[in-house]
Amino acid sequence: MRRARERPAAWLFVLPAAAYLLLFLGCPLVQNLVMSLRRYDATGFATGDAPFTGLRNHAAVLSSTLFSEAAVNTALFTAGSVLGQFTIGLALALFFQRRFPLAGPLRALLLLPWLLPLVVSGAIWRWMLDPDTGPVNALLRGLHLTSSGIPWLTGPTEALVSVIVVNIWVGVPFTTALLYGGLQDIPPHLYEAARLDGAGPVRILRHLTWPLLRPVARVVVLLGVVYTVKTADLILVLTGGGPAGATQTLATRAYELSFQRYEFGYGAVLGNVLIAVSTLFALLHLRRLRAGGGRAVSA
Amino acid sequence: MRRGEKRGPGPGAGRGARRAPGRRGLPSTVVGIVLLAVMLFPVYWMVNTSLQPAGGIVRGDWFPAAPDLGGYATALRDQGGHLVTSLVVSLGSVALSLGLAAPAAYGLTLLRARRIRLVLLGVLVTQMVPGIVVADTLYGAYAELGLLNSSPGLVLADSTAGVPFAIVVLHTFMRTIPREIVEAARMDGAGRLRVFRSVVLPLSVNALVTAGVFTFLFTWGDFLFALTLTTSGPVRPITLGVYDYLGAHTGQWNAVMATAVLASVPAALLLVVAQRFVTSGATRGADR
């Protein structure tokens, strides 16, 4: 009885945050859809005169080769980043599961790259990868692996590889933290039992650790994809999408169309694509959650 | 934390049985230090470069043999104001996010399980909205409302990361507050608001600090909103300052890296001072 009376009060507590989220995250979703159906360019933006054009923006943007290029880059960037983050993250998580002196402080320090502002990480790596004076090429030259410097951020293939490597560096700490958490939840007596049964480290990993870690691993990968697909800032800082569009992704291209060419209608189309991709993976994520094995990650 | 509960009968029982530290532990420590040195080398390189002498092209010396604070002098002269802007915007975002999220998280604890799950799912979904989409649409609205190039505009936009995160972290904590404590206060005649203010909030200090610290970091590190919603004028966060430097000053890497170091100070402080909040925040956000 009492609870029934209290429920309206409960909603009053929730209301301000709900209103804010609706206004600053819900409205943009709708507004983006509307913008993508109108001719929102610089003049239309200034005069407020943005005629309805139906799917013409979509046709123009989606049929251009720049779109397919950006889509392929996004797929490569996302797949490479998530794969790299996961493999290295898992290896580090397994390593830190061992008990050894200083394990705790070392694990905490490992978080540092993840805590740095992305612009700072981008700036550091721009300098590390500088072809003439950066330490990476200096090291390679010292080892006689290359005589002329490698154009890490200015060669088309090298640039895409470089942004992926840097994004892996940024994401490994968080992946490690999540997977380490998942490993800690596996009851130790299972390991002891397996060891008593004579199982070696490889068999333990394959038949005990991996199956029990899989729900967490799945969430880590799904979230990795959702967060990587929409990455714009790191690429903007490292290469600005260049050279000649070699590192242009859907997100950086959306930025370029909207804020450098003031073709907001076109930018919104790419926004729609990003939303569609995120929704797809979000739905996958939610289905896993409902299945009960997963966890919701929010950072 | 529930990790401890699962570990075994006594404190450290699992530990001792699994691997005796000492003889077998030391090689692992060495490997761990090497791994970490590799991972953190870029951070070392940033600090190293920031201490190289100013003037001319900075050559990559592997060690700052004669540390020079010229880079920092330049950085502070050019970027000091941007640091203040970032501080103001970040603190504003913490205030707004906690102000909205704390009541919401408490309100959620009063609702029926199914509704809570529904609202929390909604909160999770909001975190998947691409920032560029939000920036795209806010730009138009801000232009009309006069919020472009303003600190309040940035605070409102940046809190889109903090509010959902804080709701999840605070709700996870607040639902563990024993119901009897709240009921007892209610029996004494306290209203819902009163209970929230004088019972729930004081009990939630740790969770509030965790959520606040992360919100601060999100906003401090924001680049996309800073880039799109400030186009000119004095309101420029430090992330944008670093970006501008990258465009103009790459001959003076020591000043660029000194700015980068200054922009990293909150992260470093957090790691040293509030380490337990970091790990609990990272895993708290990840639990459930």
Side-chain angles (χ1 to χ4, degrees), chain A residues 3 6 13 20 28 31 45 95 98 100-101 119 124 126-127 135 169 178 184-185 230 255 258 282 295-296 298, chain B residues 3 7 25 28-29 39 42 45 49 103 110 127-128 136-137 140 156 159-160 165 186 192 253 285-287:
Chain A
R3 282 186 71 80
E6 285 171 354
F13 278 97
Y20 170 82
Q31 174 68 10
F45 208 86
F95 174 76
R98 303 159 147 248
F100 56 87
V119 178
I124 299 176
R126 276 261 300 257
W127 171 218
W169 182 76
L178 289 187
Q184 292 308 98
D185 281 349
K230 60 179 188 181
Y255 166 75
S258 294
R295 304 149 142 212
S298 46
Chain B
R3 318 213 181 292
R7 186 149 286 147
S28 294
T29 306
M39 271 299 282
W45 197 251
T49 307
L110 304 173
Q127 297 193 314
M128 315 211 166
D136 240 9
T137 48
L156 282 166
S159 301
T160 50
F165 179 79
R186 294 285 288 158
R192 275 288 169 211
W253 277 108
D287 271 350

Side-chain angles (χ1 to χ4, degrees), chain A residues 262-274:
Chain A
Y262 299 103
E263 294 279 4
F264 282 89
Y266 287 174
V269 171
L270 291 183
N272 283 343
V273 175
L274 283 176

Side-chain angles (χ1 to χ4, degrees), chain A residues 173-233:
Chain A
F174 187 60
T175 315
T176 307
L178 289 187
L179 291 173
Y180 179 82
L183 288 175
Q184 292 308 98
D185 281 349
I186 300 175
H189 66 84
L190 290 182
Y191 288 107
E192 276 149 40
R195 228 170 272 131
L196 281 178
D197 289 343
V202 177
R203 284 195 54 186
I204 290 184
L205 182 65
R206 262 191 63 189
H207 297 290
L208 175 70
T209 312
W210 180 244
L212 289 174
L213 190 66
R214 202 155 19 186
V216 179
R218 206 178 273 139
V219 174
V220 169
V221 169
L222 279 176
L223 283 166
V225 170
V226 170
Y227 286 111
T228 314
V229 161
K230 60 179 188 181
T231 302
D233 26 23

Side-chain angles (χ1 to χ4, degrees), chain A residues 85 88 110 112-114 116 120-122 124-125 163-174, chain B residues 38-43:
Chain A
Q85 286 167 3
I88 300 175
L110 188 68
L112 192 57
W114 180 68
L116 294 181
V120 167
S121 308
I124 299 176
W125 280 95
V163 292
I164 292 174
V165 168
V166 175
N167 194 44
I168 291 174
W169 182 76
V170 169
V172 157
F174 187 60
Chain B
V38 173
M39 271 299 282
L40 294 188
F41 178 76
V43 181

